[in-house]
Amino acid sequence: MEGGAEMKVMTIVQAVTDAIDIKLAEDSSVVAFGEDVGVEGGVFRATEGLQKKHGEHRVFDSPLAESAIVGTAVGMAMNGLRPVVEMQFCGFVYPAMNQIISHAARLHNRSRGRYKTPMVIRFPYGGGINALEHHSESMEAMYGHIPGLKVVIPSTPYDTKGLLISAIESDDTVIFMEPKRIYRAIKQEVPEEKYSIPLGKAKILSEGTDVTLVAYGAMIREAQKAVAMAKKDGISVELIDLRTIYPLDKQTVVESVKKTGRMVVVHEGPNTFGVGAELTAIVNENAFLNQEAPVVRVTGFDTIVPLPRGEHHYIISPEKIYYGIQKSVKF
Amino acid sequence: MFKEYSPLDDKLFQVMDNDGKIVNPAWMPEINDERLLKAFKDMLFARQADLMAVSYQRQGRMFTYPPNFGQEAISGGLAQVMREQDWLVPAFRELGAWLAKGATLKEVFLYFMGYEDGTVFEKAKNITPISVPIGSQLIHAAGIGYAINYKKEDSVVYAIVGDGGTSTGDFHEALNFAAVWNAPVVFIVQNNQFAISVPFKKQTRSINIAVKGVAYGMACIKVDGNDLFAMTRALKEAEAHAREGKGPVLIEALTYRRGAHTTSDDPTKYRTKEEEEQWSCTDPIDRLRKYLVSKNLWDTAGEESLLAEYKKEVDRQFEAAENYPPYPLEDVFKYLYVEMTDDLKEQKVEHEKFLKWKEGLK
Ligand SMILES: Cc1ncc(C[n+]2csc(CCOP(=O)(O)OP(=O)(O)O)c2C)c(N)n1
Ligand SMILES: [Mg+2]
């Protein structure tokens, strides 16, 4: 961060608005649309005020059809625009999967580079808000598994703004997943001016020597609490915020594990074939002889996120993360 | 009827006007006084429960709730035609229809309190669970309809969606499949003018929703959805059409969502008080009451004590829901597969180990 820059206190959701606002202002090819995005400013108010400021042809409500929202964005992108589309919840992206997998992720390859699909598909993800079915899921591993997509998940207002600006500027399609549980929970001073954070770079949040803890999104806050618990017990944890799920910053993770010899991975999404599984493979391939314990995965169950009365069973607590840390160090 | 009220001419099928006068006696459905009074009382009860649900939610006793306020005649009409063997394929804003099919209010409350158990509708026959992904359930209706024909059953499927839902691909695919297969499905669009904040005119350039059925080669009609008589008659015609093997029907029920989208929505952001007042004159319960009073079938003096009785009943069912046992860990895993996989069993055991360990922390 440069010294002297004007700062403003922001939440994550305000940082989303700010990033889109800045890009709308400086690049006339940027448009933002989706269900309730225009007049209402989105059900989470992530595009609040943007239609008034930038006009109805730049920020607008679409009819209700995720497939068409993504599909038209692909068309717009092929014809020179840079759409930023909102899906209302992670669980409502599925009608658009054909457009995402079959076109957004592949047009560049299919056309041998003639067509690019510079677009952002952004949506809130994750549990912990006492919602109905389809409103709590974390499907980042599924997107990470699709060749041709970049997948980003911020955990702070500062990162949200910088990463979203990079995502909008990316010439590839970016899936931008927003941790809605902490949309308004964290306030942080963020530079008012434009800045960007490169995609594909993890961040070491706290250095440590005993065990590497990898997390992202809404789990960072819980992980930080677990790190504090461990510290009390004399365990030194190195916490890494992945920030981008694909392309994954292997180097930061591998170097850390080479140092600590242990890794615990945390994510809300299901365990099987998840980001934890991928990280385990990466560490096995690159730091096999440095490991002093098997990787521990602290993840969601391989189930549907239960409705609110049962959600506490599923939600990952700091204690559960600390349990994972202990399992690793006591191995 | 479907010829007389062609949606191509944007005709609206109405039997009773806003003052409760019968303006279209030729199409007045046959409902005896007893049934009619029951229909009215059921609508009153549904409204009472609906209003109370919103206030329970405000008190923090329920997580969310989608109000039906102003849309009661659509479910009211369904209650007149739905038989036990018929299928109800709802979306999520169908309180009256759920109750008419045999769901209990307690179950509905349980669902919006956060228990999957609440959408099992244990005692109701042939009802599908609440469907949240907009439009998706309609395709199931076409499939259920195919199976009805295949098994030579005497059943009709009543499938419900909102105006916003008509923009989804699923809506169009469902209509097309049902028509191609001649499936006995009655699609009912609750056109309540809004999909959250997005007004109807931003969903489609069609003159109405019913007209979309024309292109799929099916019978279709636009009905005053706040007119119990019109809804009942249109549904009866649709039922006959479907049962005679003439294929599916599309009914657009014109109504207005007088409440918020859900309890977390604030309609003042996207619509005016004037508009709300305009539509309030078409309120389905007020209209029916006027009709009943004019026929000396109803004495408004008794309404207050009746509502007090309903209030007690709603409270009773709500409290029963509140006293539902806690959600066991087992239920997170138990229903995903017919038989729990070994992997899930292990995950559950591992979680229980963690819980034991956590106990020890204190
Ligand atoms: C596929 C999908 N996308 C988005 C949503 C979020 N959402 C819930 S209700 C709603 C509007 C539905 O409008 P309409 O179909 O008119 O039904 P109404 O709510 O008016 O009864 C939206 C967009 C959803 N549930 N499913
Ligand atoms: Mg609607």
Side-chain angles (χ1 to χ4, degrees):
Chain A
M1 233 177 285
E2 284 166 40
E6 292 291 320
M7 303 295 275
K8 197 176 163 192
V9 175
M10 276 183 214
T11 60
I12 287 179
V13 74
Q14 286 167 334
V16 169
T17 318
D18 194 34
I20 302 173
D21 187 13
I22 286 173
K23 287 308 298 177
L24 280 164
E26 74 166 26
D27 181 353
S28 65
S29 67
V30 174
V31 293
F33 67 101
E35 294 153 17
D36 304 282
V37 160
V39 175
E40 168 128 309
V43 289
F44 284 101
R45 308 285 181 260
T47 51
E48 178 124 70
L50 296 183
Q51 181 177 71
K52 246 198 188 127
K53 187 164 167 190
H54 300 281
E56 273 183 52
H57 60 304
R58 310 274 319 272
V59 180
F60 49 95
D61 294 329
S62 71
L64 201 171
E66 287 75 13
S67 173
I69 293 169
V70 173
T72 53
V74 170
M76 290 176 190
M78 284 198 285
N79 197 13
L81 300 191
R82 228 167 242 282
V84 180
V85 296
E86 175 175 297
M87 307 273 103
Q88 234 156 44
F89 285 89
C90 186
F92 299 139
V93 188
Y94 309 134
M97 287 318 282
N98 187 33
Q99 289 295 338
I100 294 175
I101 301 177
S102 305
H103 297 299
R106 305 177 181 206
L107 260 163
H108 191 257
N109 181 69
R110 181 182 305 139
S111 69
R112 304 283 93 173
R114 178 171 175 183
Y115 287 110
K116 297 184 175 65
T117 49
M119 54 192 271
V120 177
I121 303 168
R122 43 166 295 272
F123 50 87
Y125 86 95
I129 64 154
N130 291 322
L132 294 182
E133 196 187 343
H134 316 285
H135 292 72
S136 304
E137 44 221 80
S138 305
M139 301 304 277
E140 63 277 11
M142 184 176 75
Y143 297 106
H145 196 63
I146 297 167
L149 296 177
K150 290 181 175 170
V151 186
V152 177
I153 305 185
S155 70
T156 64
Y158 180 82
D159 283 0
T160 298
K161 178 169 172 178
L163 288 167
L164 184 49
I165 285 174
S166 291
I168 298 172
E169 290 177 350
S170 165
D171 282 341
D172 298 304
T173 297
V174 180
I175 304 290
F176 196 86
M177 298 174 63
E178 300 162 9
K180 64 175 176 292
R181 182 182 175 187
I182 53 169
Y183 253 162
R184 294 183 170 78
I186 303 173
K187 290 199 172 109
Q188 191 181 24
E189 286 216 328
V190 171
E192 284 199 331
E193 61 184 21
K194 182 186 161 184
Y195 64 94
S196 55
I197 297 172
L199 307 185
K201 288 265 173 293
K203 186 179 181 184
I204 298 174
L205 293 183
S206 57
E207 293 196 11
T209 51
D210 296 331
V211 54
T212 299
L213 182 62
V214 185
Y216 49 87
M219 286 300 100
I220 290 295
R221 242 178 26 146
E222 313 308 294
Q224 281 168 330
K225 290 174 196 160
V227 170
M229 293 167 86
K231 195 174 173 191
K232 267 195 200 146
D233 290 344
I235 304 167
S236 163
V237 182
E238 179 142 304
L239 178 59
I240 297 177
D241 181 353
L242 220 45
R243 301 202 292 194
T244 301
I245 303 304
Y246 193 89
L248 203 143
D249 184 355
K250 295 182 187 181
Q251 196 189 344
T252 300
V253 174
V254 167
E255 271 170 20
S256 176
V257 174
K258 278 187 177 162
K259 181 173 80 176
T260 63
R262 294 181 159 87
M263 180 169 77
V264 176
V265 187
V266 185
H267 56 74
E268 282 179 82
N271 185 61
T272 301
F273 299 105
V275 174
E278 181 60 32
L279 284 166
T280 305
I282 288 169
V283 165
N284 277 353
E285 286 160 357
N286 297 282
F288 186 69
L289 294 175
N290 305 83
Q291 292 185 85
E292 288 164 41
V295 173
V296 175
R297 290 182 283 173
V298 183
T299 69
F301 307 130
D302 292 349
T303 67
I304 311 305
V305 182
L307 291 195
R309 291 292 162 132
E311 202 184 1
H312 64 282
H313 295 304
Y314 188 102
I315 290 276
I316 293 163
S317 60
E319 287 81 9
K320 190 146 190 198
I321 300 172
Y322 184 43
Y323 176 69
I325 292 171
Q326 288 228 335
K327 251 171 72 174
S328 173
V329 294
K330 286 188 175 161
F331 177 78
Chain B
M1 168 184 277
F2 301 116
K3 282 214 179 79
E4 195 176 324
Y5 290 91
S6 168
L8 284 167
D9 306 323
D10 199 25
K11 284 209 177 126
L12 176 72
F13 176 60
Q14 193 184 55
V15 174
M16 169 175 66
D17 70 8
N18 288 343
D19 298 321
K21 280 203 202 70
I22 302 303
V23 290
N24 191 356
W27 287 108
M28 182 72 177
E30 269 177 46
I31 315 181
N32 65 35
D33 291 352
E34 194 189 330
R35 269 203 89 124
L36 185 56
L37 278 176
K38 181 176 184 317
F40 180 64
K41 287 186 190 169
D42 286 349
M43 283 164 65
L44 277 182
F45 181 77
R47 174 165 297 184
Q48 186 62 37
D50 200 71
L51 295 173
M52 287 171 75
V54 173
S55 68
Y56 294 135
Q57 196 282 336
R58 297 253 150 82
Q59 296 160 21
R61 296 161 79 185
M62 212 157 58
F63 287 111
T64 186
Y65 184 76
N68 292 246
F69 183 35
Q71 304 184 200
E72 292 88 347
I74 300 169
S75 290
L78 265 171
Q80 302 312 308
V81 296
M82 250 187 325
R83 300 162 305 160
E84 201 184 26
Q85 72 265 38
D86 293 330
W87 282 80
L88 177 64
V89 180
F92 59 91
R93 199 189 297 284
E94 277 84 52
L95 177 62
W98 295 327
L99 297 181
K101 197 77 183 91
T104 65
L105 195 51
K106 176 185 157 187
E107 287 176 303
V108 175
F109 288 147
L110 274 180
Y111 182 75
F112 291 107
M113 278 178 186
Y115 290 97
E116 286 85 352
D117 292 0
T119 190
V120 177
F121 303 135
E122 216 166 350
K123 297 219 169 64
K125 218 183 146 220
N126 294 350
I127 185 171
T128 53
I130 291 173
S131 177
V132 178
I134 303 295
S136 54
Q137 71 280 3
L138 301 179
I139 305 190
H140 308 158
I144 292 169
Y146 184 91
I148 287 171
N149 284 346
Y150 184 88
K151 293 159 70 182
K152 299 194 169 52
E153 290 172 336
D154 172 36
S155 301
V156 174
V157 189
Y158 296 99
I160 308 184
V161 70
D163 45 315
T166 65
S167 296
T168 63
D170 286 359
F171 171 80
H172 296 272
E173 292 172 20
L175 260 53
N176 189 47
F177 270 57
V180 168
W181 290 344
N182 227 39
V185 183
V186 179
F187 294 98
I188 301 155
V189 179
Q190 303 206 75
N191 182 0
N192 64 5
Q193 311 304 321
F194 285 94
I196 310 187
S197 74
V198 181
F200 176 56
K201 65 174 191 296
K202 280 194 193 168
Q203 291 294 346
T204 181
R205 287 285 171 102
S206 303
I207 45 169
N208 54 53
I209 288 170
V211 76
K212 293 173 194 282
V214 174
Y216 293 106
M218 62 198 279
C220 41
I221 187 167
K222 175 168 138 182
V223 180
D224 182 341
N226 286 0
D227 172 353
L228 178 76
F229 297 128
M231 274 314 295
T232 302
R233 187 60 194 260
L235 282 161
K236 282 195 170 160
E237 297 291 319
E239 180 204 24
H241 185 94
R243 284 173 72 189
E244 282 161 21
K246 294 180 183 162
V249 180
L250 173 64
I251 294 180
E252 172 184 0
L254 203 67
T255 184
Y256 191 76
R257 194 196 75 211
R258 295 189 63 188
H261 169 68
T262 65
T263 39
S264 43
D265 170 49
D266 172 18
T268 61
K269 273 205 84 159
Y270 53 82
R271 69 187 192 192
T272 61
K273 271 266 162 313
E274 291 83 69
E275 181 191 303
E276 289 178 4
E277 269 158 32
Q278 249 174 8
W279 278 92
S280 72
C281 308
T282 71
D283 185 83
I285 290 185
D286 292 347
R287 274 162 86 170
L288 188 55
R289 184 190 293 107
K290 282 180 196 156
Y291 171 83
L292 293 172
V293 169
S294 76
K295 296 279 170 204
N296 287 321
L297 288 168
W298 189 251
D299 180 6
T300 48
E303 207 169 301
E304 212 168 297
S305 64
L306 186 69
L307 286 182
E309 214 176 279
Y310 287 170
K311 227 172 148 212
K312 266 191 212 143
E313 174 60 14
V314 175
D315 266 330
R316 199 184 63 73
Q317 300 222 31
F318 189 77
E319 276 154 28
E322 275 192 326
N323 289 322
Y324 200 70
Y327 192 124
L329 177 64
E330 174 88 7
D331 283 14
V332 178
F333 297 92
K334 198 159 113 185
Y335 301 103
L336 200 60
Y337 298 93
V338 176
E339 258 179 62
M340 210 193 286
T341 60
D342 289 345
D343 193 42
L344 285 180
K345 283 179 197 157
E346 278 167 30
Q347 291 188 19
K348 182 169 163 283
V349 168
E350 178 56 27
H351 190 67
E352 282 162 344
K353 265 193 218 159
F354 155 68
L355 291 174
K356 266 223 181 90
W357 172 88
K358 194 175 150 192
E359 283 291 299
L361 273 186
K362 287 166 198 161

